[in-house]
Amino acid sequence: MIKIGMMIGDRYEILEKIGTGGMSDVYKAKCHKLNRFVAVKVLKQEFSENANFVSKFRIEAQAAAGLMHPNIVNVYDVGEENGIYYIVMELVEGITLKKYIEKKARLSYKEAVSIAIQVSMGIEAAHNNHIIHRDIKPQNIIISRDGKVKVTDFGIAKAATSNTITSNVMGSVHYTSPEQARGGYSDEKSDIYSLGITMFEMLTGRVPFNGETTVAIAIKHIQEEMPSPKEFVPEIPGAVEGIVLKCCQKSADRRYLNMQELIGDLKQSLMNPEENFVVQNDPDMEGSTRMITEGEVAQIKRRAVRQEEYLEREEPLRLRADTEAMYESEDESDDGEDYDYNPGMEKVTTLLAVVAGVVICVIVIVLAIRVFRGMGQDGEELSSPIQTGEDSSESSSEEERYVPMPDVKGKLVEDARNALVDLGLKSEVTYEESDVIDAGVVISADVTVGSQIPVGSTVRLTASAGPEGADVPAVTGSTYEEAESKLTGLGFAVTRVEAYSDTVAAGFVVSQTPDAGNKVAKGTNVTLTVSLGKEENKKRVPNLMGLSEMDGTAEAVEAKLQIGTVSYVFNSEYAEGLICYQSYSHGSYVEEGTAIDIKVSKGAEPPAVTYKCNASIEAPTVAEAPDYVSGTSVNLKLVADDGTVLLETATASFPYAANYYGLSSSGGNLTVTYTVTTESSTTTDENGNTVTVPGTTDTKSFTRRIEFTAE
C-alpha cells in the first residue's frame, strides 16, 4: 500500500499522487540519490497479485527503459518492494494533449501536424527498437511547459522479439485499430492507426467513432467507413486530410509502411498543404487485371503519334528485307534459321498505323478550326501567338484545359465543393428552403453534368436550407468579436480566417461565406475573413533566442522593432548572457516599432538548499501546559516558515513522528491546541442557599519552535 511520505527502493520518497489509470497509479516522488523529482508508476494491487501479468509487466518495463529519445518520457528504473511493483520515469511538468484539445476546442492544422511529427519521431524510435506502444491516444501524449511533445506509457508496451505480435485488445477503444479490436494481429501499423485517430481529434476536436458501449465503438472501427475530418472542419488542407485517411485505413497494408514515411508526408504538408502528394496504397489492385481507361487509351494514341513523327523525321524507312539482314548479321548466336514472319504482328502494326493516321487527321482539323476562329470577318487574323509574343504551345495548352462537370446533386455541400476544387473549379453556394431535401445537401448546379468547362470557372450550387432555413446576418465591417457573438447567438458555427487588407482595419471582418441574406441550414459554418491590416506596415519578428543581449538588440533594430523590458532569469538551456525568451515568437508579424520583451539567461540555477524535518513531537510539558491532562487528545499543526502547512492532525499518542523532505524553509512553528474541562460544583450563597456551579470547557494552545536540518 502506497502512502505519502514513504520511501521506495531506499531512494524514492513519495510526495503526492498526480494521476491514475486502468492498470497503475502515478506519484510524484523525489530521488534522494540524484536529488531530482521523478514520476513513479505503481502497478495496482489487483494486477500485482497475478504472477503472469507481473512477469510481463517487468519484461516490458525493462525493454522500455532502453528507450532514450527527446520525444519519449524516459524510464529510469524498474523495481519491486514488498509486493509493490513500480516504474520510475522522467517527470514532465505540463499538460496532456487530451486536456490541451479540450482547452482549445480544436487545433490549427499547423499545430496539429507539428505535434504529430514529434509524436511520430518518438514512436519511430520505439519501433526501431522493436517496441510497439499499442495505446497511442491524447491521454498518453504530454506537452511540456517549454512546448516539447513526449509520448508516455511505454511501460505497458510489448517488446517484439519477432516480426509478428499477437495480443489482446489494450488501450482506449476510441483509438484502437481494427485488428486490435478483433483481438488478432497487431504490429507497428496499429500505432499508425491510433496516431491517425489522434490527429483527427486534434483537427476536429472530436473522435471519429462514438457509441454507447465499448463494443459498439469497436465494431465501428471494424466496419464503418472513416469520416473525413473536412466534414467537420472544411478549412483542413487536402494534404492533411489525405494523411489522416491513409493512417486510418481499415486494412493495415493500405496504411503508411512505417513512421519514417509518415513523417516525410507530415513535413511535406507543412510546406505544401494543398498539394495532392499523399499516395493511397491499394495492394488489392496492384496485381489485378483491370479495364483500361479512356485517359490511358488517349495517352497510348499520343505516344503512337509522337513515335510515328519521330520515325518520319529522324530515320529512313527500312524495307523488311533490310531489317531481316540487320538482325541476321547482329545476332551471332543465331543458328542460321530464317527470320520468323508473324502475320499477327503485322496486323497489329497496320492497325496502329491506321489509328495514328486518324489521330493526325483529327489534330490537323482542330488546328484548322482554331486558325479560322482567330480570323476576323474580313479575313485578317484577330490575334496570334506570334503577334502577342506569347508562346504558342502555352496558349494552346491553356485553351485545352477543360474538365467535365461532375455530378454533385445529392452530395453534402462541403463534399461537392471539395470535388469541384479537386478539378480546379470554384464554387458559390446559395440556399433555399426545402421540405423534401435534407439541410446542407446540394439540390442543383448551374452547369450540366458532363459538360466541358474551363478550369477556374465558378459553378453556382443551390443547396437545401431545410424546412426552416435561417437567414445569415450581415457581419462584414464588424469586429470579429461582434460578428462571432452575433452568429453564435443565432446558432451558427464560426471559423476565422485572417488576411491582409489595404482598406479594412485590423480586427474587422473583410468578408463572409455564405454571404448575408442567404437562407442556410441551422448550425451551418460561417467563415469570416478577418483583416490583419496593411501588409506593408507589418514587420516580421526575428529569432532572438540564443543571441547575446547586444546582438539581439541589433537584430530587433534592424527589423525596425525595439527591445522592451529586459529581465534576467536562471535558465539551464541557454548559457549565461544569451536571450532565452522573447515576448513575440519568431516569424510572427507585428506593427513597426513594436517593443519585444526579452529575458536573458543567468545560467543554470544553483542547487537550492533543501531541508528535512525528522521531528519526534513529545506530549505537552507542565511548563507549556500546567493544566493539561495526560492522555487527552490534542490538535497538532506544523507550519513551515514559508507558510507551507506540513502537519495538521489530532492525536493522543506521544511521541508523534513527523518526517518531511525537500523543504525550502529552515524551520517552522508547531501549534498545540488542547481543551481543559472542569467539573460542576456546589456552594452556599450569603443567604444560606445551595448553588450549583456548572463545569467549564476552555480551549488553550501554545507554540513550539522546530528547527529543520539541511539535506
Side-chain angles (χ1 to χ4, degrees):
M1 182 68 179
I2 294 292
K3 292 183 179 180
I4 304 301
M6 73 181 295
M7 297 284 287
I8 296 180
D10 295 328
R11 62 185 295 185
Y12 304 112
E13 180 193 358
I14 303 297
L15 301 179
E16 60 177 311
K17 188 175 182 178
I18 58 176
T20 186
M23 295 195 342
S24 56
D25 295 319
V26 184
Y27 296 87
K28 180 179 180 180
K30 182 174 183 180
C31 175
H32 286 276
K33 285 190 177 181
L34 298 178
N35 194 30
R36 66 180 177 185
F37 292 104
V38 295
V40 178
K41 176 170 288 191
V42 180
L43 197 62
K44 287 186 175 180
Q45 187 173 358
E46 56 264 36
F47 295 102
S48 300
E49 296 171 354
N50 186 322
N52 185 31
F53 189 88
V54 167
S55 175
K56 173 184 171 184
F57 174 80
R58 183 182 294 139
I59 292 172
E60 293 172 358
Q62 289 171 347
L67 290 175
M68 296 295 290
H69 191 273
N71 297 117
I72 291 177
V73 176
N74 297 311
V75 176
Y76 297 143
D77 193 9
V78 181
E80 180 269 333
E81 182 176 298
N82 298 326
I84 298 173
Y85 298 88
Y86 61 89
I87 302 176
V88 182
M89 305 181 299
E90 172 188 6
L91 179 66
V92 181
E93 299 286 352
I95 185 175
T96 66
L97 178 58
K98 184 71 173 181
K99 291 183 178 179
Y100 188 63
I101 295 172
E102 292 172 352
K103 184 178 179 181
K104 297 191 70 173
R106 62 181 176 85
L107 312 185
S108 68
Y109 85 88
K110 288 186 178 180
E111 188 174 19
V113 170
S114 299
I115 291 174
I117 290 173
Q118 294 188 59
V119 173
S120 299
M121 293 172 72
I123 298 174
E124 182 187 28
H127 288 179
N128 290 340
N129 285 274
H130 309 294
I131 294 176
I132 301 168
H133 192 290
R134 295 184 300 162
D135 197 17
I136 295 296
K137 57 185 178 180
Q139 294 91 327
N140 284 337
I141 298 169
I142 300 177
I143 302 175
S144 66
R145 289 178 178 174
D146 57 359
K148 293 180 180 177
V149 180
K150 291 177 176 283
V151 184
T152 186
D153 245 356
F154 275 97
I156 64 170
K158 183 174 180 66
T161 56
S162 66
N163 60 351
T164 60
I165 297 173
T166 57
S167 65
N168 294 326
V169 177
M170 299 188 67
S172 174
V173 71
H174 288 98
Y175 309 91
T176 192
S177 66
E179 58 269 23
Q180 284 176 295
R182 295 188 189 97
Y185 182 87
S186 174
D187 63 1
E188 288 87 349
K189 292 182 181 178
S190 298
D191 285 348
I192 293 177
Y193 183 93
S194 299
L195 178 57
I197 301 293
T198 301
M199 290 178 61
F200 186 101
E201 185 173 358
M202 284 194 286
L203 293 165
T204 65
R206 52 162 290 166
V207 290
F209 301 118
N210 224 324
E212 295 182 357
T213 65
T214 55
V215 174
I217 299 171
I219 290 174
K220 289 184 178 181
H221 277 287
I222 296 171
Q223 296 181 348
E224 289 194 8
E225 182 180 354
M226 177 75 181
S228 168
K230 288 175 74 72
E231 293 180 15
F232 306 98
V233 184
E235 292 74 28
I236 295 174
V240 178
E241 175 198 28
I243 291 172
V244 173
L245 294 179
K246 185 173 181 179
C247 287
C248 298
Q249 289 290 317
K250 303 295 183 189
S251 171
D253 293 337
R254 296 172 184 263
R255 300 173 203 154
Y256 283 96
L257 299 177
N258 49 51
M259 298 306 301
Q260 183 179 6
E261 187 180 86
L262 172 57
I263 293 170
D265 274 7
L266 287 170
K267 291 180 178 179
Q268 179 75 359
S269 70
L270 288 177
M271 297 182 289
N272 304 294
E274 294 296 347
E275 186 176 327
N276 184 21
F277 56 81
V278 179
V279 179
Q280 297 294 340
N281 298 331
D282 193 354
D284 295 337
M285 291 296 294
E286 288 178 358
S288 62
T289 303
R290 59 189 178 90
M291 183 76 72
I292 190 168
T293 65
E294 294 181 0
E296 289 170 331
V297 171
Q299 186 179 15
I300 293 172
K301 291 180 179 180
R302 286 195 297 271
R303 288 179 178 174
V305 171
R306 287 197 295 268
Q307 181 69 15
E308 189 76 19
E309 291 174 347
Y310 173 79
L311 291 174
E312 291 177 352
R313 184 174 64 253
E314 299 293 339
E315 298 183 4
L317 291 175
R318 294 191 177 97
L319 293 176
R320 188 166 175 278
D322 295 336
T323 306
E324 291 174 354
M326 178 182 71
Y327 277 101
E328 289 174 356
S329 63
E330 291 182 354
D331 191 359
E332 296 178 357
S333 64
D334 193 1
D335 295 334
E337 296 179 1
D338 292 337
Y339 180 82
D340 187 14
Y341 173 69
N342 189 341
M345 181 59 69
E346 185 173 3
K347 290 181 180 179
V348 173
T349 306
T350 304
L351 179 60
L352 288 176
V354 172
V355 171
V358 171
V359 172
I360 292 173
C361 291
V362 171
I363 293 174
V364 172
I365 293 172
V366 170
L367 291 176
I369 292 173
R370 287 182 179 167
V371 170
F372 284 112
R373 272 187 191 167
M375 302 293 289
Q377 292 181 352
D378 57 356
E380 294 182 4
E381 190 172 2
L382 296 178
S383 64
S384 73
I386 296 176
Q387 290 173 342
T388 59
E390 296 174 355
D391 181 57
S392 60
S393 63
E394 290 183 2
S395 298
S396 80
S397 66
E398 288 180 3
E399 290 175 2
E400 291 175 0
R401 292 185 63 192
Y402 284 77
V403 292
M405 174 64 190
D407 185 5
V408 295
K409 182 179 178 181
K411 291 187 176 182
L412 293 174
V413 169
E414 293 305 325
D415 291 341
R417 297 185 73 178
N418 290 337
L420 295 173
V421 168
D422 291 342
L423 295 174
L425 302 174
K426 302 175 183 177
S427 61
E428 292 181 359
V429 184
T430 56
Y431 291 82
E432 64 180 37
E433 294 180 354
S434 173
D435 296 328
V436 180
I437 301 176
D438 293 337
V441 175
V442 175
I443 299 174
S444 63
D446 67 341
V447 180
T448 306
V449 176
S451 301
Q452 296 289 328
I453 54 177
V455 171
S457 300
T458 299
V459 177
R460 290 168 178 80
L461 305 175
T462 302
S464 170
E468 295 181 2
D471 290 321
V472 179
V475 294
T476 303
S478 306
T479 64
Y480 173 74
E481 290 74 17
E482 293 171 347
E484 181 188 34
S485 176
K486 187 173 184 179
L487 290 168
T488 54
L490 294 173
F492 295 101
V494 178
T495 298
R496 174 173 178 153
V497 177
E498 295 179 337
Y500 292 109
S501 173
D502 294 334
T503 56
V504 180
F508 286 79
V509 178
V510 178
S511 62
Q512 64 181 82
T513 304
D515 293 330
N518 274 314
K519 278 189 177 292
V520 300
K522 293 180 180 179
T524 297
N525 185 77
V526 179
T527 301
L528 301 180
T529 302
V530 182
S531 173
L532 290 173
K534 293 184 178 180
E535 185 173 5
E536 58 267 24
N537 292 336
K538 300 287 183 179
K539 301 299 177 184
R540 192 169 188 269
V541 177
N543 185 14
L544 308 181
M545 305 290 284
L547 300 179
S548 67
E549 183 179 350
M550 181 179 296
D551 290 342
T553 303
E555 284 280 340
V557 171
E558 187 175 346
K560 296 187 177 180
L561 304 172
Q562 56 182 325
I563 297 296
T565 303
V566 180
S567 56
Y568 301 88
V569 297
F570 290 110
N571 188 289
S572 58
E573 294 187 13
Y574 291 87
E576 183 178 358
L578 302 183
I579 297 173
C580 59
Y581 166 84
Q582 59 185 88
S583 57
Y584 290 92
S585 60
H586 169 228
S588 59
Y589 287 86
V590 297
E591 298 290 340
E592 181 177 332
T594 296
I596 304 175
D597 298 334
I598 62 172
K599 294 180 182 179
V600 180
S601 172
K602 295 195 295 184
E605 187 173 4
V609 178
T610 58
Y611 300 86
K612 62 182 178 180
C613 171
N614 298 121
S616 180
I617 302 174
E618 300 291 343
T621 65
V622 175
E624 293 171 327
D627 45 4
Y628 170 72
V629 178
S630 179
T632 303
S633 178
V634 301
N635 290 321
L636 304 177
K637 185 175 183 179
L638 178 57
V639 182
D641 292 340
D642 62 0
T644 303
V645 178
L646 302 177
L647 171 66
E648 190 167 10
T649 187
T651 184
S653 300
F654 294 98
Y656 187 90
N659 298 305
Y660 303 97
Y661 301 87
L663 306 177
S664 58
S665 302
S666 60
N669 294 312
L670 173 68
T671 301
V672 182
T673 305
Y674 63 97
T675 58
V676 178
T677 303
T678 61
E679 296 181 356
S680 61
S681 61
T682 59
T683 185
T684 303
D685 62 11
E686 58 187 16
N687 297 325
N689 298 321
T690 301
V691 179
T692 300
V693 179
T696 60
T697 301
D698 295 331
T699 300
K700 298 184 179 182
S701 64
F702 62 88
T703 302
R704 286 182 193 167
R705 178 67 183 176
I706 297 179
E707 298 296 336
F708 307 152
T709 56
E711 291 184 313

